[in-house]
Amino acid sequence: MSHQRFQLTITPRAQELADSLDISELILQVCTPAYAHVADQPMIAYGGLFFHQSAREHLAKALAEHAKVSDIPPFIMADIESGMRCLMEDDTLSFGSMMSYGAANDPALTREIGEVTGQVACKQGYNWSLAPCVDLIGDTDSPMASLRSAGTDPTRTKDATWAFAEGMQSNGLIATAKHFPGDGFGTLDQHLTTVANPLSQEAWYAGPGQVFQHLIDKGIKAIMPGHISLPAFDEPDPELGLCPPATLSHRLLTDLLKKEMGFDGLIVSDAVEMSGFCGFMNYYDACARFLEAGGDMLLFPLVDDAFMKQMLRCVEEGKLTEETLRNRAARNISMKEHMGWLEHTVSDTISPAEVDAETYGLPALAERITAKSVGILRDRHQTLPLSNAQEKNVLHAVIYNDYDMHKDLLTHFTQELGKNFGQVTEWVDPGCRSLFKAARDKTFDYIICSIGASVQYGTNIIRVHGTIARNMMFGWTKFDTPVIFVAHHHPFVINEYEAAIDCCVASLGSSRYTNSWLAAALAGKHDMPTLTL
């Protein structure tokens, strides 16, 4: 299938609608607040609304309320980064992450998943997916890349991310490549601070630049800049002496992204409450500067009386021109006309609970992607598969940060192991002495150890950390009892334990489905691929 760059032309109708709006109405047209933050306020004519999973049950009600106050329908956004995992309540068939798609290295299959994602998301009322995450893993300790990334290789990443985006866009859902100019090259978190991408121009063009350029050339309709600076292409802010994040940089958004790379779709900011953005300069001035730098839509602005007053101040002071506001509003409305949404009337939407798995072929998709992406990271002594499983006594040891958050899935994994092995005992945070004695004394035939920490914004830590990490002391992995580690979330835990971990498998995002498949695979019922991430 051939593709070409997406060109967003301001239509006469969109320009007429934008010209009919006063300054306050124009400001609203470039704002997408989180619905959860405005749900207790009277609905006004926002340009977009974002729905977290916890608020999506109110989507139909919000659409009906918005239709009463505006003839211009809103963008309805969500972070649909992992396909169906983000759109279903039933986690039995919750499968796949962007890293799964990269590891599978099957763009045709990833496109199928994107297609189903687009179909279901649109039926639920969404029209804009803030995905895929196209960041490369330049630093395996990056707290914000991990499973959200397709991996370390630019070619595999651009193929996987475009396949997912193409599938979504072919079914009427805007896809968004993020986070320009590329997260994943350090251990800082843009929720907390302005992150600097350290690459030289040459390295950037060969890495993140290559990925973004590929998606632009193929026809991606939206890009999200991160609160990430790119010093190799920019100049320091005269007051701070630091290069601004892309969200505040005319050089990066207009000169590099629009003019040099040829992107003409919509630019939506990352969340404006993140300190990488409003920790760099005054919150309201930053919102104005994003639009002047080339952006089209503010994500998560705190729209209240003070916001409107301060944005009007920015207009009065010349920090935000009426010309810019009218242009950005016209571009946003033109996208809605291009997608056929200006004629949209509020209709019934389906809830996540109403998604019929068989109708969309989810069991087959889950099986296919799992078989290609749940696999072996390291197996120095050819420990796998485990033999005579039904006769073996197994310890399932759990070494997990934020265990309570993952308790249900880890307990389910214990149950699935019990279906495949003779006897299974679960120990949670047992301490290294207990593990030492169990391994030394051959109390169990095998020790299967779930180990990990999941991505959480605003933590700056992705590795196993704190007192829970003390479980890895005392050398219990080096006795005769075979030990198989399972990385349910962040797979690069093996890097820290280069010597101590001889055998490790990864599910690249634990779910009930991957738990069942992996437990059977450990017992030799499925062949597991060796993963390249």
Side-chain angles (χ1 to χ4, degrees), residues 82 85 94-97 99-100 147 373-374 400 409 487-491 506-515:
S82 300
R85 179 187 287 270
S94 173
F95 60 90
S97 64
M99 188 173 284
S100 300
L147 299 179
S373 63
V374 175
Y400 239 83
L409 282 171
H488 293 278
H489 289 96
H490 187 61
S507 67
L508 306 184
S510 185
S511 70
R512 289 181 178 267
Y513 188 86
T514 57
N515 277 348

Side-chain angles (χ1 to χ4, degrees), residues 391-431:
E391 303 171 10
K392 302 300 182 180
N393 181 15
V394 173
L395 169 65
H396 179 212
V398 179
I399 303 174
Y400 239 83
N401 285 109
D402 301 303
Y403 168 74
D404 288 343
M405 181 186 301
H406 307 292
K407 179 179 178 179
D408 290 347
L409 282 171
L410 292 166
T411 300
H412 177 259
F413 187 55
T414 300
Q415 295 167 352
E416 293 302 305
L417 290 172
K419 296 176 182 178
N420 292 276
F421 293 89
Q423 182 177 340
V424 176
T425 302
E426 181 185 83
W427 288 356
V428 177
D429 188 16

